[in-house]
Amino acid sequence: MITENGQPGKAEVFAFLDISCRRVSETYGKPDWDTWTNSDYVSLSHILFRQTRVRISPNTLKRIFGKIKTDSRYYPQKATRDALAVYIGHPDWDHFVKLQEWTARHTERIPDGFIRDENLPHPSTPADPPTLSSRKNTKRSRRLPLLVGGVLLLAVLLLVVQQRSASRESAQLICRNPLGENPHSAVFQLKHPDSKGEAGAYTILFGDGKRERLNANDSLATHYYERPGRYFAILQRDGVNIDTSTVYLRTKSWTVTGNMMHDTSRVYPIEVADLFTKRRRSVSAPEAARAGIDTNRTFFMEFINSHPTRIDGDNFELTTRIKTSPDRAGVRCSQVGITVWGESSQHMFEVMRPGCAHWILIQNSDIQKSGLRDDLSFMGADLRLGGTLTLRIIDKQAVILINNRQVYKTSYTQPLHKIYGVKIRFAGVGTVDSFSLKDLKTGSMFDGSF
């Protein structure tokens, strides 16, 4: 059988595809995909793009899961299969398939629970019954290879686990030039104990939504950062985080950078004199258009002030009065996001119009919430006419207030230490009427408050 996209229709490849569909549905949180509606496929499409940066349309997902019936079984292209594998915790599709094949080879068992020795007759193979005088010897001869084989297999598995653990513990990701201006080409060095071809299992998540897999002989990787800010580049092996390296792009004052949704190829720095001084509080749509942004599409404006401070990232108060984008084409949720970068992690939260809570994200260091999995409707607010947002951190306890009303509270464990900058991100055109960030213990103010 040949599938509709020309792939060989082998039973085993579709068996692997069925397994991946089951794992994807479990990860998505709705294992019974027969009950999925159109909104589930739309939601999963967005989730896959946000986590893998690969766009899989809802209709393609429907063909994969059998919602749309075709004359022949649909088999997706490699990039699509890789994205599904990454979503369920694998580096790519080939790794997922190899793991399934390994599991199948090592899970065949005989009735008494021992792993079957390939040198012994299969349980279904007929054999002449032993004589009474040889039964004890036969039973012993069968038990001995099973016991020896079981011990050897256990030893091999322990050795593999120890080798992988040692590799993961000792692998390091080092940025040779972590400090830079905007833009910045960072050089990363991978130090790992693997001597022959193991580096191909490593992936670097650069912290700006982009990633790169390393080839077997790679020990260096470079990445081009286009926005100022503090980035936490993560080294993964087989989907497991191993190490983190920090990259820091500083600014001299407030800057503004534009970008468009679904366009990860470039950003648009906007030159604005006296930003947030002399009552200059926003950037207009015509100014964004002159910088190259297609304002007929959904676009974002990021106001960033990135520099080291003495302010304690675990004891501060941030208050800002803002206006989100007015009604216009391409803006439906009229969102704003606040990010505070620390030495080792960050605080971040988003506010959107009621009804858009599905897309909201909150992070307080090691505590993360997503509207995809959590009810974040309390973060819904219409700020088109203006409003006040407050983030108060006291001894690693975080509180968020909208218009002076507490809507969220949590505690985290990983300290941020000193603050290294802030970002205010609008969908469309936004206005920042005031901004204040101060250390609650020392009273020290952020250089950039107004």
Side-chain angles (χ1 to χ4, degrees), residues 280-408:
R280 180 62 185 268
R281 301 292 187 252
S282 65
V283 175
S284 67
E287 288 175 315
R290 285 195 294 270
I293 297 175
D294 183 355
T295 56
N296 292 318
R297 298 172 54 188
T298 299
F299 68 93
F300 299 90
M301 303 283 261
E302 298 180 343
F303 298 94
I304 299 173
N305 194 326
S306 173
H307 66 271
T309 77
R310 296 182 179 275
I311 299 175
D312 185 352
D314 305 300
N315 288 280
F316 71 90
E317 181 174 280
L318 181 157
T319 300
T320 181
R321 182 163 181 80
I322 56 93
K323 294 187 185 72
T324 55
S325 178
D327 290 331
R328 63 170 193 80
V331 174
R332 188 175 187 182
C333 291
S334 191
Q335 70 193 62
V336 60
I338 309 291
T339 301
V340 178
W341 292 299
E343 183 176 342
S344 58
S345 188
Q346 66 182 16
H347 297 297
M348 186 274 293
F349 68 93
E350 296 174 323
V351 178
M352 300 188 189
R353 290 173 62 178
C356 297
H358 177 80
W359 306 111
I360 291 176
L361 298 173
I362 302 175
Q363 178 183 358
N364 295 108
S365 190
D366 51 291
I367 302 299
Q368 301 184 38
K369 301 288 184 180
S370 169
L372 302 176
R373 302 181 302 271
D374 306 293
D375 179 10
L376 302 182
S377 56
F378 52 83
M379 297 297 293
D382 189 347
L383 301 177
R384 288 174 294 173
L385 298 179
T388 301
L389 302 177
T390 301
L391 173 62
R392 184 181 299 129
I393 311 292
I394 301 176
D395 295 331
K396 293 185 286 189
Q397 288 192 336
V399 173
I400 298 174
L401 299 92
I402 301 177
N403 291 327
N404 300 315
R405 180 175 63 88
Q406 180 177 315
V407 297
Y408 179 71

Side-chain angles (χ1 to χ4, degrees), residues 185-350:
S185 294
V187 180
F188 293 94
Q189 181 178 5
L190 174 63
K191 289 188 175 181
H192 59 90
D194 305 311
S195 57
K196 295 183 179 180
E198 292 296 323
Y202 290 101
T203 300
I204 302 177
L205 310 181
F206 292 107
D208 60 353
K210 299 178 182 179
R211 64 176 65 202
E212 180 179 342
R213 288 197 65 209
L214 300 183
N215 295 323
N217 297 319
D218 285 344
S219 60
L220 287 178
T222 65
H223 187 66
Y224 181 66
Y225 288 93
E226 299 181 279
R227 301 179 181 89
R230 193 167 179 85
Y231 298 92
F232 304 100
I234 299 174
L235 177 66
Q236 290 187 339
R237 182 172 182 182
D238 298 334
V240 178
N241 293 351
I242 301 173
D243 196 19
T244 300
S245 184
T246 303
V247 180
Y248 189 38
L249 281 64
R250 297 180 56 173
T251 67
K252 295 180 180 179
S253 59
W254 285 98
T255 65
V256 58
T257 304
N259 63 91
M260 290 183 289
M261 180 178 284
H262 307 320
D263 181 3
T264 60
S265 61
R266 59 178 301 186
V267 299
Y268 303 86
I270 303 175
E271 297 297 331
V272 179
D274 301 325
L275 181 62
F276 296 157
T277 62
K278 299 181 181 179
R279 303 194 63 80
R280 180 62 185 268
R281 301 292 187 252
S282 65
V283 175
S284 67
E287 288 175 315
R290 285 195 294 270
I293 297 175
D294 183 355
T295 56
N296 292 318
R297 298 172 54 188
T298 299
F299 68 93
F300 299 90
M301 303 283 261
E302 298 180 343
F303 298 94
I304 299 173
N305 194 326
S306 173
H307 66 271
T309 77
R310 296 182 179 275
I311 299 175
D312 185 352
D314 305 300
N315 288 280
F316 71 90
E317 181 174 280
L318 181 157
T319 300
T320 181
R321 182 163 181 80
I322 56 93
K323 294 187 185 72
T324 55
S325 178
D327 290 331
R328 63 170 193 80
V331 174
R332 188 175 187 182
C333 291
S334 191
Q335 70 193 62
V336 60
I338 309 291
T339 301
V340 178
W341 292 299
E343 183 176 342
S344 58
S345 188
Q346 66 182 16
H347 297 297
M348 186 274 293
F349 68 93
E350 296 174 323

Side-chain angles (χ1 to χ4, degrees), residues 37-89:
T37 63
N38 183 67
S39 63
D40 288 305
Y41 292 99
V42 173
S43 176
L44 181 58
S45 175
H46 286 297
I47 294 172
L48 289 169
F49 179 74
R50 295 182 71 173
Q51 296 193 14
T52 70
R53 313 311 295 179
V54 176
R55 184 166 301 285
I56 307 175
S57 71
N59 283 340
T60 298
L61 289 172
K62 289 178 182 179
R63 288 195 291 270
I64 293 173
F65 283 86
K67 183 73 171 181
I68 296 179
K69 304 300 181 182
T70 56
D71 294 336
S72 56
R73 180 73 186 275
Y74 178 76
Y75 193 68
Q77 61 182 348
K78 181 66 161 54
T80 300
R81 287 179 277 133
D82 283 341
L84 296 177
V86 169
Y87 179 59
I88 57 179

